[in-house]
Amino acid sequence: MTVVPVTSVRETAVRTLRAAAAATGRLVGGLGTASRALGVLLLSAVAAVTAPAGIGLLLAPLALRALHALARRERERLARRGVDIVPPDPPPVRLRSALADPTTRRELRWLVRHGTLGLLLGLLGLLLPLCAVRDTTFPLWWWLVPETTTTSVGVGTAHTWLDAVAAMLLGVGWTAILLGLGPGMARLQTAPARRLLAAGPGTDLSLRVAELTATRAAALDAHATELRRIERSLHDGAQNRLVSVTVLLGAARRMAARDPAGADELLERAQSAAEQALAELRSVARGILPPVLADRGLAGALSGLAADCGVPCRVEADVPERCAASVEATAYFVVAEALTNIARHSGAERASVTVRARGGRLRLRIEDDGRGGADEEGGSGLTGIRRRVAALDGTLRLTSPPGGPTLLEAELPCGG
């Protein structure tokens, strides 16, 4: 007989619950665009039906703009959920050209599917958790309400405890459906957008290739800059200290016989130089990959940065699972550089760091109440931050009007 370890059962249960919760979030999030899709679909249908009378020709441009705006919104929503959809070229806005445009036709096909099947799946994602909670907890409160109380689907009346238990079993069934089918329902809702809102097979992807090429070049430049920084730190710091230690030890050995007191003084200086070299080597090592990330995770490491910041800083971290080491290191350096800028240049009294991992994306938000006016060209390290983020195909947004406040937002793929 095979005994399943308790830890594996617990981990499986936790993964299932997290997957169901994430799927519910995606379904409910899709409900918003699906309801709008139904409205745009009805508007398009009215425009098509009334076109012979001339009214539809007036409604068609409005429906076309609404279609393109909704498709763009859906791509942005899915990108926040970790679904990277390469957008097509901007579709034409003139009615005659739009009707013959493949991108517009693909968006219309997506509109029909998302406004019908996507809407139904979104409603299920919203109602299933409510029904599960309502029916599962039914035995706790059914006796407080009149006997006409029914189940969440409006079938059956509870007169006895046996009826209440039957309603609870129905709630367990809703929960099982949500846990078992929720992720599949979320994928089914997203599938039309993945297939129809992405660039078609004949689309020129040269701009995307150029962007990735520039990102790769920036990553290589950032890597070379980092290697030069490490080389300078080792050459100008630890290496000079170690040379000094060698010279002092040689001099102390030669003086040991004729001047023991002088030799002891040289040995003390050598020990001090060795300790300084060791401290500098540790500093260089922390600059490559901070050990605190491995010891305490990203949340603990950021709390340490906030504690050392010269400005009172509050940290809110919601990172249920570990990200790739390169992603955590980049997030750490982004926050470290941002807090350094705040302490040196902003004149702020308070700062805050918010980190959240959702849908395969790690989002950083660093805000302060300083004087604002941050500029990437001002040598404040913002260019280096942008290069680090771009190296992982992430995004960076800076909002810093004169007078403040300053808001720095970065988004990174959790997988690195």
Side-chain angles (χ1 to χ4, degrees):
M1 181 179 65
T2 302
V3 179
V4 180
V6 176
T7 54
S8 66
V9 174
R10 185 184 300 114
E11 291 173 357
T12 301
V14 170
R15 283 197 302 268
T16 302
L17 288 174
R18 286 179 177 173
T24 302
R26 292 197 297 270
L27 288 170
V28 175
L31 179 60
T33 54
S35 59
R36 294 182 179 90
L38 181 60
V40 176
L41 184 61
L42 293 176
L43 178 62
S44 302
V46 171
V49 172
T50 59
I55 301 177
L57 297 179
L58 300 176
L59 294 177
L62 176 61
L64 196 60
R65 288 195 298 272
L67 170 64
H68 296 327
L70 185 62
R72 184 170 58 252
R73 184 185 183 93
E74 180 70 359
R75 293 188 192 98
E76 294 172 352
R77 182 186 74 85
L78 294 178
R80 291 193 297 270
R81 294 285 182 178
V83 180
D84 189 14
I85 297 179
V86 179
D89 294 332
V93 294
R94 296 179 62 87
L95 182 59
R96 186 183 298 273
S97 301
L99 293 177
D101 178 56
T103 298
T104 303
R105 292 182 178 180
R106 291 163 65 88
E107 289 182 350
L108 282 172
R109 290 163 56 193
W110 165 80
L111 185 73
V112 173
R113 300 184 186 187
H114 195 57
T116 53
L117 179 60
L119 181 64
L120 176 61
L121 292 171
L123 288 173
L124 287 175
L126 177 64
L127 294 177
L128 276 176
L130 298 178
C131 292
V133 172
R134 194 263 187 197
D135 289 344
T136 303
T137 61
F138 189 72
L140 301 178
W141 51 266
W142 74 277
W143 49 275
L144 297 174
V145 294
E147 292 185 353
T148 55
T149 301
T150 58
T151 60
S152 58
V153 294
V155 177
T157 303
H159 297 286
T160 65
W161 281 101
L162 186 61
D163 297 334
V165 172
M168 182 190 71
L169 294 177
L170 181 61
V172 174
W174 296 135
T175 304
I177 292 175
L178 188 62
L179 294 176
L181 301 182
M185 291 165 56
R187 289 192 296 270
L188 183 61
Q189 186 191 57
T190 308
R194 288 177 178 267
R195 187 169 60 256
L196 299 174
L197 295 186
T203 303
D204 183 11
L205 297 180
S206 57
L207 291 178
R208 178 60 174 166
V209 172
E211 178 185 351
L212 293 176
T213 302
T215 300
R216 176 183 171 85
L220 293 175
D221 288 343
H223 179 66
T225 302
E226 188 69 12
L227 289 178
R228 286 194 296 270
R229 182 192 67 81
I230 295 172
E231 189 275 334
R232 283 197 304 270
S233 298
L234 293 175
H235 181 273
D236 299 339
Q239 179 175 305
N240 287 341
R241 302 285 184 191
L242 293 175
V243 170
S244 177
V245 170
T246 303
V247 172
L248 290 171
L249 289 176
R253 187 180 61 179
R254 289 190 296 270
M255 294 177 60
R258 68 176 185 273
D259 187 3
D264 288 341
E265 181 182 352
L266 292 178
L267 289 175
E268 289 180 2
R269 291 169 57 188
Q271 182 179 0
S272 176
E275 291 174 351
Q276 293 176 6
L278 182 60
E280 290 175 357
L281 286 174
R282 287 173 176 168
S283 177
V284 172
R286 284 195 297 271
I288 299 173
L289 185 63
V292 68
L293 285 173
D295 298 337
R296 300 172 56 190
L298 182 59
L302 297 184
S303 298
L305 286 177
D308 295 336
C309 182
V311 175
C313 182
R314 176 175 52 87
V315 175
E316 292 183 10
D318 182 12
V319 187
E321 298 180 353
R322 298 295 298 267
C323 299
S326 58
V327 175
E328 290 189 347
T330 298
Y332 179 88
F333 286 120
V334 167
V335 175
E337 185 66 31
L339 292 182
T340 300
N341 290 341
I342 291 172
R344 290 180 178 176
H345 310 296
S346 71
E349 296 182 356
R350 291 184 305 275
S352 64
V353 176
T354 305
V355 184
R356 286 188 171 85
R358 292 288 186 276
R361 310 287 290 184
L362 183 68
R363 296 177 178 85
L364 306 173
R365 179 185 175 95
I366 304 103
E367 190 172 9
D368 69 79
D369 60 354
R371 65 176 65 96
D375 183 11
E376 289 192 37
E377 304 299 327
S380 58
L382 291 172
T383 301
I385 291 178
R386 186 175 294 279
R387 286 180 176 176
R388 282 184 178 272
V389 172
L392 297 179
D393 203 18
T395 59
L396 184 75
R397 292 179 294 275
L398 174 66
T399 305
S400 184
T406 296
L407 174 63
L408 183 70
E409 296 177 290
E411 185 171 310
L412 301 166
C414 286

